[in-house]
Amino acid sequence: METIVKGMEGVQQAADIIKRGGLVAFPTETVYGLGGNALDPEASRKIYEAKGRPSDNPLIVHVSCIEEVEPLVSAFPEDAKKLMDSFWPGPLTIIMPKADIVPMETTGGLNTVAIRCPENKLTLSFIKAAGLPIAGPSANTSGKPSPTEAEHVLHDLNGHIDMILDDGPVGIGVESTIVDLTGEVPTLLRPGAITVEDLSEVLGKTVEIDPAIVAGGVKEGIHPKAPGMKYRHYAPNAKMVLVTTGLLKEKDYEVSEEERNLADRQVSDCINELVKKDVEAGLKVGVICCEETLAYYEKVSGDKADIKVLGHRSEPLSMTHELFRVLREFDDDKAERIYAESYSDRGVGFALMNRMRKAAGMTEILAEEK
Ligand code: TXA
Ligand code: MG
């Protein structure tokens, strides 16, 4: 039986477990990670086993400062230094050519390594105390929504790990941005709270977007460069469907107030009707909406469906913060269908919608065509 240990008192204990070859779940600003010694192939094997994760899916290596990167890489691109100076500690993972001391077990057989310095005081102290880089995927069962609270970790990994270092709910709620610096041009492999615009601004050049992000995984010859992005991911047990309108998509969600009101009504009418049908068929149904549209659902589907608000659509970070918790709650409540509104892909919205599309298995319908 592992222990959840809160606060600084857990730091040394966690470091000792890592040094002995054990596994510790740790808090970060994005999601909780499942940590082991990144230089120990056996620890990496244990991580894959605990998560039930395919071992071709590489792990992110966590460090406590920029100086700890040097021994892990065989080349240190100037762009990497710029990004680290600007964004570390913070939600940015950088792919670089790996040094020999990083075992293939940690990188899923790749010659590159993903490195990140998370912004969490406990975890930075824990990494320093361990004196080792920490391999850490998200601390969830493979395929499930990433854990944003220590309780989520316990739910998924109880009995498979030695300890959970608890620092309460995380701030951001979706995983770090991943940028690959091993090719000709910097390429975004996974969107997160640091946007592609943020990266371009610091680097003073265009950052490409891996086509697999937009396609949502492996499709017609598109193979994601981040192996993890090809798997079904972040998925609740319920079948989830996103709902939007043709006009919103066409105008990239930049619409007038009048158009916005019309779209809100179209989307909510569509969802309320789908809820009604499902409830009549005896299904347990959930709705995901935002503060701005809640009233449209409360009036119609209020007592039939479980309506959950993500946050304010004008502030995507308020929504990323809640998404995985909400998906897990629907699982706990045994929801069988989830209908969710689609939101803008702008800024941090790109990360939010990336996770929502994956949760929905890329199923998105137009309200007017239903
Ligand atoms: O916010 C985060 O990044 C969290 C916290 C715990 O740090 N970690 C996380 O790890 O999300 P994980 O393992 O769930 O996702 C890592 C992603 C996977 O999609 C994996 O394929 C990709 O990073 N990745 C890791 N190493 C890579 C490499 N060398 N080349 C390309 N993609 C890589
Ligand atoms: Mg993960």
Side-chain angles (χ1 to χ4, degrees):
M1 174 70 201
E2 63 282 339
T3 26
I4 296 193
V5 186
K6 281 201 163 92
M8 274 319 252
E9 66 189 78
V11 164
Q12 193 54 49
Q13 208 176 319
D16 291 342
I17 291 171
I18 293 292
K19 287 193 267 190
R20 288 202 307 268
L23 302 185
V24 173
F26 59 94
T28 81
E29 76 282 43
T30 58
V31 300
Y32 274 76
L34 169 57
N37 175 359
L39 305 181
D40 174 8
E42 195 47 47
S44 293
R45 269 194 289 268
K46 275 197 211 164
I47 291 175
Y48 288 115
E49 198 179 293
K51 276 182 68 88
R53 173 173 182 155
S55 60
D56 69 338
N57 189 358
L59 308 173
I60 292 177
V61 176
H62 297 73
V63 295
S64 71
C65 58
I66 298 177
E67 291 67 40
E68 290 169 8
V69 174
E70 199 81 59
L72 305 175
V73 297
S74 62
F76 205 145
E78 203 47 47
D79 283 349
K81 292 201 177 103
K82 283 188 197 163
L83 293 176
M84 289 171 190
D85 284 338
S86 298
F87 298 115
W88 280 11
L92 178 67
T93 297
I94 303 174
I95 314 277
M96 288 177 279
K98 84 170 190 70
D100 289 341
I101 61 160
V102 183
M104 287 290 187
E105 282 79 0
T106 299
T107 64
L110 298 175
N111 283 317
T112 54
V113 59
I115 306 184
R116 122 168 170 90
C117 179
E119 186 171 21
N120 178 281
K121 272 206 185 100
L122 291 187
T123 288
L124 292 175
S125 308
F126 146 63
I127 300 172
K128 273 221 160 34
L132 289 163
I134 306 292
S138 48
N140 51 295
T141 302
S142 190
K144 288 284 138 202
S146 296
T148 56
E149 295 169 23
E151 288 302 323
H152 300 164
V153 180
L154 192 66
H155 175 274
D156 281 17
L157 300 177
N158 195 5
H160 296 279
I161 53 178
D162 300 299
M163 184 189 150
I164 302 171
L165 185 58
D166 184 1
D167 196 26
V170 301
I172 294 172
V174 294
E175 305 83 351
S176 61
T177 303
I178 304 181
V179 64
D180 183 359
L181 296 182
T182 64
E184 302 247 299
V185 265
T187 305
L188 183 82
L189 304 191
R190 180 174 74 182
I194 292 174
T195 65
V196 73
E197 293 82 10
D198 295 334
L199 299 174
S200 289
E201 196 181 316
V202 167
L203 295 177
K205 58 175 125 169
T206 309
V207 173
E208 285 193 353
I209 297 175
D210 185 354
I213 297 177
V214 184
V218 182
K219 230 183 207 174
E220 295 150 28
I222 296 176
H223 295 282
K225 292 205 184 77
M229 298 299 274
K230 74 175 175 253
Y231 296 107
R232 188 180 140 87
H233 229 180
Y234 319 120
N237 294 325
K239 179 175 179 286
M240 180 162 151
V241 174
L242 302 180
V243 183
T244 187
T245 74
L247 185 74
L248 283 175
K249 275 182 94 78
E250 189 188 308
K251 296 208 163 177
D252 212 5
Y253 292 78
E254 294 284 287
V255 288
S256 68
E257 205 181 311
E258 204 178 313
E259 290 168 328
R260 165 66 69 191
N261 290 335
L262 177 68
D264 283 347
R265 217 163 310 124
Q266 280 181 309
V267 168
S268 57
D269 282 353
C270 169
I271 291 179
N272 284 321
E273 204 175 302
L274 289 166
V275 167
K276 189 163 164 259
K277 261 193 214 146
D278 284 347
V279 169
E280 277 166 12
L283 295 172
K284 204 151 188 223
V285 192
V287 171
I288 295 179
C289 65
C290 58
E291 293 288 357
E292 290 91 334
T293 57
L294 174 61
Y296 289 106
Y297 300 98
E298 275 178 328
K299 275 185 226 141
V300 182
S301 288
D303 53 346
K304 304 191 194 90
D306 186 5
I307 300 164
K308 294 191 196 287
V309 173
L310 283 187
H312 292 272
R313 68 182 165 200
S314 53
E315 296 159 39
L317 268 177
S318 73
M319 305 182 93
T320 55
H321 182 255
E322 295 300 310
L323 178 65
F324 290 152
R325 187 180 60 75
V326 159
L327 293 179
R328 279 177 179 265
E329 275 177 14
F330 278 129
D331 275 357
D332 292 344
D333 299 344
K334 310 223 162 10
E336 294 163 285
R337 292 277 189 285
I338 301 171
Y339 297 105
E341 300 173 331
S342 292
Y343 304 106
S344 165
D345 272 306
R346 274 165 211 277
V348 180
F350 192 36
L352 173 73
M353 287 311 299
N354 171 260
R355 305 316 192 272
M356 286 183 69
R357 288 194 187 102
K358 285 192 155 246
M362 303 306 283
T363 311
E364 184 176 61
I365 61 170
L366 299 181
E368 64 272 27
E369 283 179 7
K370 182 199 57 80

